[in-house]
Amino acid sequence: MFNCRANEDATLAEKILLVTFMITTISTDILQAEAILRSGGVVAIPTETVYGLAANALDAKAVTSIFEIKERPFFDPLIVHTASLERARAFVDHIPDWAEELFAMFSPGPMTIILKKRSIIPDIVTSGLETVGIRIPNHALTLSLLNNLDFPLSAPSANPFMYVSPTSSEHVNKQLGGKIPYILDGGSCNVGVESTIIAEIDGKPSILRLGGLPIEDIERVIGSISFHKNSLSKPISPGMLESHYSPRKKVILGRPAQGVGENKRIGYIGFEFPVDGIPIHHQRILSSTGALAEAARNVFGALRELDSLDIELIYAELVPELGLGRAINDRLKRAAA
Ligand code: TXA
Ligand code: MG
């Protein structure tokens, strides 16, 4: 069993050994996850969108470990996960009406709302911003975990910075196994792309990141909402980078031209149908019935699988630009950027 007390008292050399040789347990037992989190450790948790790398959001030292394990720059803020809107009220100053309406309608669910933070949330969580992202994830195991803890959990997606987000415990283990003590196994993520992030900009709600809650659903509740494109000079969302979700292989948007597959080893991610001229085991079809929800569940897994094949290039076809398709296309475009 991993012992966090021992970790705290260790010398630098011992810590390096601990980091190198940490055994990662993968299990569905929330009590083990709770014990590690209570002692200031980091645990991977399932959500309906992607797996998160979680620690006590009220403990600056525990939160620092998340940045270190993920190799994430400290300027990129973390969001805070909690079990209910009632609990969230302790962490934020004021919840505008539009946000109340969205929480009432869509929580728990694939949505993060940026609100003015209270000082109980350490500055390291928000990279010094005055705002914090609040998310109530819709996953039974993680909701039980959050309900049992008397603190919220900071959690970015459980992937190394800039890489494709994980949608299964195996994905997490492949990259962070050996670096974290525990992965709470909640199966494959139901939604498959990260939460939609909404913030108030110039007095109006705006979308900062397209995600698992489609714009169309949001607009049905609060009326028309605009999309805020992050500016590089004055970013509202410092971590929202043009290039992200990147496999190591080069990604090119669109279908490969006839004959490309003859001189190059290429892979293909298609929406409904495979293409000719590429071996079928180098192709991933996101949804053979053309269902965007299924495509969203499969897109990150497809990028990861093709990344591990002996190919040079990945071609990826965009999906219809509506509903969840907008988030899928956003991720594919960033993977290609
Ligand atoms: O679905 C999700 O949201 C997943 C699961 C684990 O909950 N989490 C996730 O976290 O995607 P992360 O850190 O990979 O992405 C959160 C994004 C980052 O781009 C970050 O820059 C932005 O949210 N963000 C966090 N706090 C913010 C704030 N106060 N203002 C603006 N953007 C913020
Ligand atoms: Mg992420």
Side-chain angles (χ1 to χ4, degrees), residues 26 89 169 218 287 289 312 329:
I26 306 176
R89 293 188 199 282
S169 56
I218 294 171
S287 171
T289 57
E312 296 155 79
N329 287 342

PDB file of all heavy atoms in Angstrom, residues 26 89 169 218 287 289 312 329:
ATOM      1  N   ILE A  26      -5.147   0.024  -9.681  1.00  0.00           N
ATOM      2  CA  ILE A  26      -6.341   0.415 -10.444  1.00  0.00           C
ATOM      3  C   ILE A  26      -7.506  -0.362  -9.856  1.00  0.00           C
ATOM      4  O   ILE A  26      -7.500  -1.598  -9.875  1.00  0.00           O
ATOM      5  CB  ILE A  26      -6.195   0.052 -11.940  1.00  0.00           C
ATOM      6  CG1 ILE A  26      -4.905   0.642 -12.510  1.00  0.00           C
ATOM      7  CG2 ILE A  26      -7.404   0.540 -12.731  1.00  0.00           C
ATOM      8  CD1 ILE A  26      -4.632   0.256 -13.951  1.00  0.00           C
ATOM      9  N   ARG A  89     -21.419  26.700  -3.366  1.00  0.00           N
ATOM     10  CA  ARG A  89     -21.643  28.075  -2.883  1.00  0.00           C
ATOM     11  C   ARG A  89     -20.574  28.517  -1.876  1.00  0.00           C
ATOM     12  O   ARG A  89     -20.316  29.708  -1.730  1.00  0.00           O
ATOM     13  CB  ARG A  89     -23.032  28.206  -2.241  1.00  0.00           C
ATOM     14  CG  ARG A  89     -24.150  28.040  -3.254  1.00  0.00           C
ATOM     15  CD  ARG A  89     -25.505  28.355  -2.640  1.00  0.00           C
ATOM     16  NE  ARG A  89     -26.581  27.787  -3.449  1.00  0.00           N
ATOM     17  CZ  ARG A  89     -27.038  28.312  -4.582  1.00  0.00           C
ATOM     18  NH1 ARG A  89     -26.544  29.445  -5.029  1.00  0.00           N
ATOM     19  NH2 ARG A  89     -27.993  27.725  -5.265  1.00  0.00           N
ATOM     20  N   SER A 169      -9.432   4.003 -17.821  1.00  0.00           N
ATOM     21  CA  SER A 169      -8.371   3.854 -16.821  1.00  0.00           C
ATOM     22  C   SER A 169      -7.074   3.363 -17.473  1.00  0.00           C
ATOM     23  O   SER A 169      -5.985   3.696 -17.035  1.00  0.00           O
ATOM     24  CB  SER A 169      -8.817   2.909 -15.693  1.00  0.00           C
ATOM     25  OG  SER A 169      -9.197   1.673 -16.238  1.00  0.00           O
ATOM     26  N   ILE A 218     -27.576  24.640 -24.195  1.00  0.00           N
ATOM     27  CA  ILE A 218     -27.396  25.807 -23.331  1.00  0.00           C
ATOM     28  C   ILE A 218     -28.349  26.923 -23.780  1.00  0.00           C
ATOM     29  O   ILE A 218     -29.033  27.549 -22.965  1.00  0.00           O
ATOM     30  CB  ILE A 218     -25.931  26.297 -23.400  1.00  0.00           C
ATOM     31  CG1 ILE A 218     -25.012  25.231 -22.806  1.00  0.00           C
ATOM     32  CG2 ILE A 218     -25.760  27.643 -22.695  1.00  0.00           C
ATOM     33  CD1 ILE A 218     -23.537  25.495 -23.007  1.00  0.00           C
ATOM     34  N   SER A 287     -18.239   6.614 -35.741  1.00  0.00           N
ATOM     35  CA  SER A 287     -19.587   6.077 -35.533  1.00  0.00           C
ATOM     36  C   SER A 287     -20.152   5.622 -36.867  1.00  0.00           C
ATOM     37  O   SER A 287     -20.498   6.449 -37.716  1.00  0.00           O
ATOM     38  CB  SER A 287     -20.515   7.131 -34.924  1.00  0.00           C
ATOM     39  OG  SER A 287     -21.838   6.634 -34.931  1.00  0.00           O
ATOM     40  N   THR A 289     -22.922   4.564 -37.520  1.00  0.00           N
ATOM     41  CA  THR A 289     -24.323   4.965 -37.716  1.00  0.00           C
ATOM     42  C   THR A 289     -24.451   6.486 -37.770  1.00  0.00           C
ATOM     43  O   THR A 289     -25.555   7.033 -37.767  1.00  0.00           O
ATOM     44  CB  THR A 289     -25.203   4.451 -36.565  1.00  0.00           C
ATOM     45  OG1 THR A 289     -24.664   4.969 -35.329  1.00  0.00           O
ATOM     46  CG2 THR A 289     -25.223   2.938 -36.506  1.00  0.00           C
ATOM     47  N   GLU A 312       3.129   7.218 -40.198  1.00  0.00           N
ATOM     48  CA  GLU A 312       3.793   8.531 -40.166  1.00  0.00           C
ATOM     49  C   GLU A 312       2.809   9.670 -39.963  1.00  0.00           C
ATOM     50  O   GLU A 312       3.125  10.682 -39.364  1.00  0.00           O
ATOM     51  CB  GLU A 312       4.538   8.775 -41.489  1.00  0.00           C
ATOM     52  CG  GLU A 312       5.682   7.800 -41.736  1.00  0.00           C
ATOM     53  CD  GLU A 312       5.966   7.667 -43.225  1.00  0.00           C
ATOM     54  OE1 GLU A 312       6.633   8.564 -43.771  1.00  0.00           O
ATOM     55  OE2 GLU A 312       5.511   6.687 -43.836  1.00  0.00           O
ATOM     56  N   ASN A 329     -14.910  18.507 -33.491  1.00  0.00           N
ATOM     57  CA  ASN A 329     -14.126  19.229 -34.501  1.00  0.00           C
ATOM     58  C   ASN A 329     -13.089  20.138 -33.857  1.00  0.00           C
ATOM     59  O   ASN A 329     -11.954  20.258 -34.341  1.00  0.00           O
ATOM     60  CB  ASN A 329     -15.049  20.036 -35.411  1.00  0.00           C
ATOM     61  CG  ASN A 329     -15.825  19.130 -36.362  1.00  0.00           C
ATOM     62  OD1 ASN A 329     -15.445  17.972 -36.570  1.00  0.00           O
ATOM     63  ND2 ASN A 329     -16.914  19.640 -36.922  1.00  0.00           N
TER      64      ASN A 329
END
